[in-house]
Coordinates of all heavy atoms in Angstrom, one line a residue:
H85 N -20.3 29.2 0.2 CA -20.3 29.6 -1.3 C -20.0 31.2 -1.3 O -20.3 31.9 -0.3 CB -21.7 29.3 -1.9 CG -22.8 30.1 -1.3 ND1 -23.6 29.6 -0.3 CD2 -23.3 31.3 -1.6 CE1 -24.6 30.5 0.0 NE2 -24.4 31.6 -0.8
G86 N -19.4 31.6 -2.4 CA -19.1 33.0 -2.5 C -17.7 33.3 -2.0 O -17.0 34.3 -2.4
V87 N -17.2 32.3 -1.1 CA -15.8 32.5 -0.6 C -14.9 31.3 -1.1 O -13.8 31.5 -1.5 CB -15.8 32.3 1.0 CG1 -14.4 32.3 1.5 CG2 -16.6 33.5 1.6
A88 N -15.6 30.2 -1.3 CA -14.8 29.0 -1.7 C -14.0 29.1 -3.0 O -12.8 28.8 -3.0 CB -15.7 27.8 -1.8
A89 N -14.7 29.7 -4.0 CA -14.0 29.7 -5.4 C -12.7 30.4 -5.4 O -11.7 30.0 -5.9 CB -15.0 30.3 -6.3
G90 N -12.7 31.6 -4.7 CA -11.5 32.4 -4.7 C -10.3 31.7 -4.0 O -9.2 31.7 -4.4
V91 N -10.7 31.1 -2.8 CA -9.7 30.3 -2.0 C -9.1 29.1 -2.8 O -8.0 28.8 -2.8 CB -10.2 29.9 -0.7 CG1 -9.2 29.1 0.1 CG2 -10.7 31.2 0.1
V92 N -10.1 28.3 -3.4 CA -9.7 27.2 -4.1 C -8.8 27.6 -5.3 O -7.8 26.9 -5.6 CB -10.9 26.4 -4.6 CG1 -10.6 25.4 -5.7 CG2 -11.7 25.7 -3.5
D93 N -9.2 28.6 -6.0 CA -8.3 29.1 -7.1 C -6.9 29.4 -6.7 O -6.0 29.0 -7.3 CB -9.0 30.3 -7.8 CG -8.4 30.7 -9.1 OD1 -8.1 29.8 -10.0 OD2 -8.1 31.9 -9.3
D110 N -15.0 20.1 -4.4 CA -15.6 21.3 -3.8 C -17.0 20.8 -3.4 O -17.8 20.3 -4.2 CB -15.7 22.4 -4.8 CG -16.3 23.6 -4.1 OD1 -15.8 24.0 -3.1 OD2 -17.3 24.2 -4.7
S112 N -18.9 23.3 -1.7 CA -19.7 24.5 -1.7 C -20.6 24.6 -2.9 O -20.5 23.6 -3.7 CB -18.8 25.6 -1.6 OG -18.3 26.0 -2.9
A113 N -21.2 25.6 -3.2 CA -22.0 25.8 -4.4 C -21.2 26.4 -5.6 O -21.8 26.5 -6.7 CB -23.3 26.6 -4.1
D114 N -20.0 26.8 -5.3 CA -19.3 27.6 -6.2 C -18.9 27.0 -7.6 O -18.7 27.7 -8.6 CB -18.0 28.3 -5.5 CG -18.4 29.4 -4.6 OD1 -19.7 29.6 -4.4 OD2 -17.5 30.0 -4.0
F115 N -18.8 25.6 -7.6 CA -18.4 25.0 -8.9 C -19.6 24.1 -9.3 O -19.2 23.1 -10.0 CB -17.1 24.3 -8.8 CG -16.0 25.3 -8.6 CD1 -15.4 25.5 -7.4 CD2 -15.5 26.1 -9.6 CE1 -14.3 26.4 -7.2 CE2 -14.5 27.0 -9.5 CZ -13.9 27.2 -8.3
R116 N -20.7 24.3 -8.9 CA -21.8 23.4 -9.3 C -22.5 23.7 -10.7 O -23.1 22.8 -11.3 CB -22.9 23.4 -8.3 CG -22.5 22.8 -6.9 CD -23.6 22.9 -5.9 NE -23.1 22.3 -4.6 CZ -23.7 22.5 -3.5 NH1 -24.9 23.2 -3.5 NH2 -23.2 22.0 -2.3
Y117 N -22.2 24.9 -11.2 CA -22.7 25.3 -12.5 C -21.6 25.5 -13.5 O -20.5 25.9 -13.1 CB -23.5 26.7 -12.3 CG -24.7 26.5 -11.5 CD1 -24.8 27.0 -10.2 CD2 -25.9 26.1 -12.1 CE1 -25.9 26.9 -9.4 CE2 -27.1 25.9 -11.3 CZ -27.1 26.3 -10.1 OH -28.2 26.3 -9.3
S118 N -21.9 25.1 -14.8 CA -20.8 25.3 -15.8 C -20.7 26.6 -16.3 O -19.9 26.8 -17.2 CB -21.1 24.1 -16.9 OG -22.4 24.4 -17.4
D119 N -21.6 27.5 -15.9 CA -21.7 28.9 -16.4 C -21.7 29.9 -15.3 O -22.6 29.8 -14.4 CB -22.9 29.0 -17.4 CG -23.0 30.4 -18.0 OD1 -23.5 31.3 -17.4 OD2 -22.5 30.5 -19.2
A120 N -20.7 30.8 -15.3 CA -20.7 31.8 -14.2 C -22.0 32.7 -14.2 O -22.4 33.0 -13.1 CB -19.5 32.7 -14.4
G121 N -22.6 32.9 -15.4 CA -23.8 33.8 -15.4 C -24.9 33.1 -14.7 O -25.7 33.7 -14.0
V122 N -25.1 31.7 -14.8 CA -26.2 31.0 -14.1 C -25.9 31.1 -12.7 O -26.9 31.4 -11.9 CB -26.2 29.6 -14.7 CG1 -27.3 28.8 -13.8 CG2 -26.5 29.5 -16.1
Y123 N -24.7 30.9 -12.2 CA -24.4 30.9 -10.8 C -24.7 32.3 -10.2 O -25.3 32.4 -9.2 CB -22.9 30.7 -10.6 CG -22.4 30.9 -9.2 CD1 -22.5 29.9 -8.2 CD2 -21.9 32.1 -8.9 CE1 -22.0 30.2 -6.9 CE2 -21.4 32.4 -7.6 CZ -21.5 31.4 -6.6 OH -21.1 31.6 -5.3
E124 N -24.4 33.3 -11.0 CA -24.6 34.7 -10.5 C -26.1 35.0 -10.4 O -26.5 35.8 -9.5 CB -23.8 35.7 -11.4 CG -22.3 35.5 -11.2 CD -21.5 36.2 -12.3 OE1 -22.1 36.9 -13.2 OE2 -20.3 36.1 -12.2
T125 N -26.8 34.5 -11.3 CA -28.3 34.7 -11.3 C -28.9 34.0 -10.1 O -29.8 34.6 -9.4 CB -28.9 34.1 -12.6 OG1 -28.5 34.8 -13.7 CG2 -30.5 34.3 -12.5
Y127 N -27.2 33.1 -7.1 CA -26.7 33.5 -5.9 C -26.6 35.0 -5.7 O -26.2 35.5 -4.7 CB -25.4 32.8 -5.6 CG -25.5 31.4 -5.2 CD1 -25.5 30.3 -6.2 CD2 -25.9 31.0 -3.9 CE1 -25.8 29.0 -5.9 CE2 -26.0 29.7 -3.6 CZ -26.0 28.7 -4.6 OH -26.3 27.4 -4.2
Q128 N -26.8 35.7 -6.8 CA -26.9 37.2 -6.7 C -25.5 37.8 -6.3 O -25.6 38.9 -5.7 CB -28.0 37.6 -5.8 CG -29.4 37.2 -6.2 CD -29.9 37.9 -7.5 OE1 -29.9 39.1 -7.6 NE2 -30.1 37.1 -8.5
H129 N -24.5 37.2 -6.7 CA -23.2 37.9 -6.5 C -22.2 37.3 -7.6 O -22.5 36.2 -8.2 CB -22.6 37.8 -5.2 CG -22.4 36.3 -4.7 ND1 -23.1 35.7 -3.7 CD2 -21.5 35.3 -5.2 CE1 -22.7 34.4 -3.6 NE2 -21.7 34.2 -4.4
A130 N -21.2 38.0 -7.8 CA -20.2 37.5 -8.9 C -19.5 36.3 -8.4 O -19.2 36.1 -7.2 CB -19.2 38.7 -9.1
H131 N -19.1 35.5 -9.4 CA -18.4 34.3 -9.1 C -17.0 34.7 -8.8 O -16.3 35.5 -9.4 CB -18.4 33.3 -10.3 CG -17.9 32.0 -10.0 ND1 -16.6 31.6 -10.0 CD2 -18.6 30.8 -9.7 CE1 -16.5 30.3 -9.7 NE2 -17.7 29.8 -9.5
G132 N -16.4 33.9 -7.8 CA -15.0 34.2 -7.3 C -13.9 33.8 -8.2 O -12.8 34.3 -8.1
A133 N -14.1 32.9 -9.1 CA -13.0 32.5 -10.0 C -13.6 31.8 -11.3 O -13.5 30.6 -11.5 CB -12.2 31.4 -9.3
P134 N -14.3 32.7 -12.1 CA -14.9 32.2 -13.3 C -14.0 31.3 -14.3 O -14.5 30.4 -14.9 CB -15.5 33.4 -14.0 CG -14.7 34.5 -13.4 CD -14.4 34.1 -12.1
A135 N -12.8 31.7 -14.4 CA -11.9 31.0 -15.2 C -11.7 29.5 -14.8 O -11.1 28.7 -15.6 CB -10.5 31.8 -15.4
R136 N -11.9 29.3 -13.5 CA -11.6 28.0 -12.9 C -12.8 27.0 -13.1 O -12.7 25.8 -12.9 CB -11.3 28.1 -11.4 CG -10.9 26.8 -10.7 CD -9.6 26.3 -11.2 NE -8.5 27.1 -10.9 CZ -7.2 26.7 -11.1 NH1 -6.9 25.6 -11.6 NH2 -6.1 27.5 -10.9
I137 N -13.9 27.5 -13.5 CA -15.1 26.7 -13.6 C -14.9 25.5 -14.5 O -15.4 24.4 -14.3 CB -16.4 27.6 -14.0 CG1 -16.8 28.5 -12.9 CG2 -17.5 26.7 -14.4 CD1 -17.9 29.5 -13.3
K138 N -14.2 25.7 -15.6 CA -14.1 24.6 -16.6 C -13.3 23.4 -16.1 O -13.3 22.4 -16.7 CB -13.3 25.2 -17.8 CG -11.9 25.6 -17.5 CD -11.2 26.2 -18.8 CE -9.7 26.4 -18.5 NZ -9.4 27.3 -17.4
D139 N -12.7 23.6 -14.9 CA -11.8 22.5 -14.4 C -12.7 21.6 -13.4 O -12.1 20.7 -12.9 CB -10.7 23.1 -13.6 CG -9.6 23.8 -14.5 OD1 -9.7 23.5 -15.7 OD2 -8.9 24.6 -14.0
F140 N -14.0 21.9 -13.3 CA -14.8 21.2 -12.4 C -16.0 20.6 -13.0 O -16.6 21.3 -13.9 CB -15.3 22.1 -11.2 CG -14.2 22.4 -10.2 CD1 -13.3 23.3 -10.4 CD2 -14.2 21.7 -9.0 CE1 -12.3 23.6 -9.4 CE2 -13.3 22.0 -7.9 CZ -12.3 22.9 -8.2
A157 N -17.1 18.6 -8.3 CA -18.0 19.3 -7.4 C -19.1 18.4 -7.0 O -19.6 17.7 -7.8 CB -18.5 20.6 -8.0

Side-chain angles (χ1 to χ4, degrees):
H85 69 264
V87 174
V91 176
V92 166
D93 186 49
D110 184 53
S112 82
D114 283 4
F115 293 103
R116 291 177 185 166
Y117 293 99
S118 58
D119 182 277
V122 176
Y123 171 88
E124 291 165 5
T125 297
Y127 285 94
Q128 297 296 298
H129 60 247
H131 193 277
R136 185 65 68 175
I137 290 175
K138 67 181 186 306
D139 295 335
F140 285 80

